[in-house]
Amino acid sequence: MSQRGYRFFICDVFTASRFGGNPLAVLPEADGLGDAEMQQIAREFNYSESTFVLPGNGPLNRRVRIFTPTTEVPFAGHPTIGTAFALAQAGEFGALFESLDVHFDVAAGRVPVLISAGKSGTWCELQAPQPLSTGTSVAPARIAAALSLATDDIVTDTHEPVVASVGLPFLIVEVAGIDALRRARAQTAALEALHDDGIVPDVHVYTRSDDEFDLRARMFAPLDGVPEDPATGSANCALAALLASRNEGADGEHRWRIAQGVEMGRPSVLDARTRRNGGEVTTWIGGSSVHVAEGTIFLDQESAR
């Protein structure tokens, strides 16, 4: 049986060190792959996401599809950052001298990405494709049980546990300190009950920090085939937008340095910033990436589409 081969790159995103951050598989020339084949490939890599790059409408534009091991998602942060990095490293945008503005079309909308080259490597920053939207709030006792925590571990001073999105929704929960963050364990049955009630069961948990980081976070999405994610750009984008929106009267620019993945042994660093003007919030997330591997993945010629 004849085969088709597709080039792929693997990079670690939101880290300056290999085997930290969030791993990503990027297929830079995905023309000819059907939906089912993309899902099969994403399941084969079994990373939290894999991306499939299709031609855009100009040299600095691409269409990008993003798959978890179980489903396609409309937007995600580390896949967007990692795809920009991988394409730049492969020379897809030409020579990179200092910085370059590109944009990707994903299901959630158009995502501008700034790619910057420096002595310490390539750094990319995306702008979220949508303004902040918020949805259902969840009682602290209910989300505490879903995270194996006590109700007193949940902090509601700034916001209740609430669904928030800038392109992909997450249930965002603040907890009272690093100890509570470390103790968090997702209870699948409780998350399934949230899902059955129409509430997004992908939970982004964070706490305030007073060291080199402003925030420390973890993200659990077992119903999407991601028991825990080492670095979640879309969730931290939503978190930054939520915090900026709840900071009454504070127009201007705000920044947060965020640690994630520490409890998994894959430490990640995400730089979030917002610009608030008259209640309207624009959000960015950025970080470094490193090249890990590349190769070819083969599919049978008669693979299902």
Side-chain angles (χ1 to χ4, degrees):
M1 182 177 292
S2 60
Q3 296 178 326
R4 294 173 290 142
Y6 289 86
R7 184 170 55 135
F8 69 84
F9 297 100
I10 293 174
C11 53
D12 289 335
V13 185
F14 292 121
T15 180
S17 303
R18 286 187 179 89
F19 314 124
N22 202 345
L24 174 74
V26 180
L27 275 71
E29 299 156 344
D31 254 1
L33 287 172
D35 294 0
E37 291 172 323
M38 291 183 189
Q39 188 65 75
Q40 287 173 340
I41 291 170
R43 189 177 302 117
E44 182 72 16
F45 281 115
N46 204 35
Y47 295 143
S48 54
E49 284 101 1
S50 299
T51 63
F52 301 85
V53 183
L54 302 164
N57 58 10
L60 300 181
N61 169 241
R62 300 290 188 277
R63 189 160 66 93
V64 179
R65 298 182 66 181
I66 305 168
F67 285 78
T68 76
T70 61
T71 191
E72 184 173 9
V73 294
F75 167 64
H78 105 272
T80 304
I81 295 290
T83 298
F85 167 80
L87 295 180
Q89 289 289 108
E92 295 287 328
F93 301 126
L96 181 62
F97 296 106
E98 292 184 1
S99 65
L100 185 67
D101 290 299
V102 303
H103 53 274
F104 296 150
D105 291 314
V106 301
R110 177 156 289 191
V111 183
V113 185
L114 172 67
I115 307 172
S116 302
K119 292 182 179 179
S120 59
T122 302
W123 189 88
C124 302
E125 182 187 62
L126 68 83
Q127 179 181 325
Q130 297 178 6
L132 174 69
S133 61
T134 56
T136 306
S137 295
V138 176
R142 184 175 187 185
I143 194 59
L147 293 171
S148 309
L149 297 174
T151 303
D152 288 348
D153 289 321
I154 308 302
V155 176
T156 60
D157 294 345
T158 304
H159 62 85
E160 292 184 333
V162 63
V163 175
S165 174
V166 290
L168 187 67
F170 294 88
L171 178 54
I172 296 182
V173 182
E174 182 177 358
V175 296
I178 190 67
D179 177 65
L181 187 71
R182 289 171 176 162
R183 286 188 283 109
R185 300 288 185 275
Q187 296 295 323
T188 301
L191 296 180
E192 288 174 341
L194 286 171
H195 180 266
D196 291 343
D197 288 341
I199 301 169
V200 172
D202 300 343
V203 184
H204 192 59
V205 189
Y206 76 97
T207 190
R208 319 266 176 163
S209 187
D210 59 3
D211 50 20
E212 69 269 35
F213 296 100
D214 301 296
L215 305 170
R216 292 179 175 270
R218 300 175 72 183
M219 200 287 286
F220 304 98
L223 303 192
D224 284 336
V226 183
E228 183 172 354
D229 200 33
T232 318
S234 51
N236 283 300
C237 254
L239 169 59
L242 179 65
L243 294 178
S245 73
R246 299 300 171 95
N247 192 355
E248 295 296 333
D251 277 2
E253 189 162 300
H254 305 274
R255 295 177 180 269
W256 297 267
R257 194 161 177 82
I258 305 169
Q260 191 180 335
V262 175
E263 294 77 11
M264 301 177 64
R266 296 195 67 100
S268 307
V269 179
L270 305 92
D271 292 304
R273 66 183 177 98
T274 61
R275 183 179 299 130
R276 177 173 163 171
N277 183 14
E280 183 175 321
V281 178
T282 306
T283 314
W284 295 265
I285 196 95
S288 298
S289 301
V290 291
H291 183 90
V292 175
E294 58 187 271
T296 304
I297 190 166
F298 294 100
L299 287 83
D300 293 336
Q301 190 66 38
E302 298 178 2
S303 177
R305 298 251 176 144

